[in-house]
Amino acid sequence: MDIFENLCRTCGNECLDLLNIYEVSVKALDKTVFVAEMLSSCLPTGFPALQPTDAYPKLICRICLKKLTLVYEFNQQWVGAHSEFNVALKFEERRKRSLASKSQDLKVL
Ligand SMILES: [Zn+2]
């Protein structure tokens, strides 16, 4: 018998309605994502990577799955906004450099 039978991987509570993290996928930000993939992307620093063959519980309760989905969507949104800011910052930097070199060209003339 599995010592972690009916235990949620992320809260440690015993539940009857658990889902397998390696088999279930959910809709997050209009994508279908495996629960294990969402967990992997939200691992706390220093935590070992998720492995289907590890000895830890393979199930998650619905409350934790809701929280995980929110955290995953928040992180994805943040990463997306951050990369858009980087594009805008690079564009602005180029624009400033271009203006600076134009004003220098004018001084030379
Ligand atoms: Zn849980």
Side-chain angles (χ1 to χ4, degrees), residues 33-101:
V33 190
F34 274 104
V35 175
E37 190 185 329
M38 289 201 301
L39 279 171
S40 292
S41 78
C42 299
L43 274 182
T45 309
F47 254 53
L50 257 73
Q51 300 286 341
T53 53
D54 66 27
Y56 299 99
K58 313 274 182 281
L59 306 167
I60 188 168
C61 74
R62 288 188 186 273
I63 294 167
C64 286
L65 182 56
K66 268 204 173 117
K67 291 179 186 173
L68 174 64
T69 306
L70 284 176
V71 170
Y72 177 81
E73 287 180 337
F74 178 82
N75 283 349
Q76 294 295 308
Q77 193 180 308
W78 189 5
V79 167
H82 188 76
S83 69
E84 281 178 32
F85 292 144
N86 281 338
V87 169
L89 287 171
K90 272 189 187 146
F91 184 80
E92 179 63 9
E93 202 175 286
R94 241 181 267 141
R95 193 184 69 84
K96 278 183 184 169
R97 243 187 281 138
S98 166
L99 284 176
S101 76

Side-chain angles (χ1 to χ4, degrees), residues 1 14 22 24-25 27 44 51 57 69 79-80 82 87 103-104 108:
M1 193 182 125
E14 192 172 345
Y22 296 105
V24 172
S25 56
K27 215 163 168 77
Q51 300 286 341
T69 306
V79 167
H82 188 76
V87 169
S103 72
Q104 213 154 35
V108 171

Side-chain angles (χ1 to χ4, degrees), residues 8 10-11 61 64:
C8 170
T10 56
C11 71
C61 74
C64 286

Side-chain angles (χ1 to χ4, degrees), residues 11-25:
C11 71
N13 291 329
E14 192 172 345
C15 300
L16 293 175
D17 190 16
L18 294 157
L19 303 161
N20 189 304
I21 60 175
Y22 296 105
E23 293 171 2
V24 172
S25 56

